[in-house]
Amino acid sequence: MAKLSQDELLAQFEEMTLIELSAFVAAFEEKFDVTAAAPVAVAAVGAPGAVAEAAEEQDEFDVILDGAGDKKIQVIKEVRTLTSLGLKEAKDLVDTAGAKVLEKVNKETAEKAKAALEGAGAKVTVK
């Protein structure tokens, strides 16, 4: 197969419908394990703060206990399960408003911990 120049490739793309072009992009991304999302970040160069935020997607989260609620014993049990702390340490953590139950965990772990603590009656924030 003869190698096509950049101009010849562009001429071929001009003849394609949007649906054909979309299918081509999907196949290209799959074949070469890349995404075509990068040009969107380049287009936002006018706002330097926006580029920095887009480049730095948060991947570490803290699970913060805002309050134990009515079922303090259930919350202490969940904290012990999540952290492997002893009874006294878990109780002290639950008694401290704004205490970090888990630090620098991935999003999935943080969401599971939040659901478990809220299921026990606690008020939780993920940051």
Side-chain angles (χ1 to χ4, degrees), residues 63 82 102 108-120 122-126:
V63 179
L82 293 168
L102 297 173
E108 181 180 328
T109 303
E111 291 299 324
K112 285 181 182 178
K114 180 180 179 184
L117 289 168
E118 286 179 344
K123 294 179 183 171
V124 182
T125 304
V126 176

Side-chain angles (χ1 to χ4, degrees), residues 33-80:
D33 195 27
V34 295
T35 61
V40 175
V42 174
V45 172
V51 173
E53 288 178 23
E56 295 179 23
E57 185 176 327
Q58 186 175 355
D59 60 350
E60 292 182 340
F61 297 87
D62 295 336
V63 179
I64 301 170
L65 185 65
D66 295 329
D70 297 338
K71 301 175 183 176
K72 187 175 177 180
I73 294 172
Q74 264 56 3
V75 175
I76 292 171
K77 287 180 181 179
E78 284 300 326
V79 168
R80 289 188 68 200

Side-chain angles (χ1 to χ4, degrees), residues 86-106:
L87 181 60
K88 182 179 180 344
E89 292 84 6
K91 182 185 177 299
D92 291 343
L93 186 97
V94 169
D95 288 339
T96 306
K100 291 182 181 177
V101 178
L102 297 173
E103 294 183 62
K104 297 181 180 178
V105 296
N106 64 27

Side-chain angles (χ1 to χ4, degrees), residues 22 24-42 54 57:
S22 176
F24 170 78
V25 169
F28 187 89
E29 288 175 340
E30 185 177 316
K31 170 86 174 170
F32 296 105
D33 195 27
V34 295
T35 61
V40 175
V42 174
E57 185 176 327

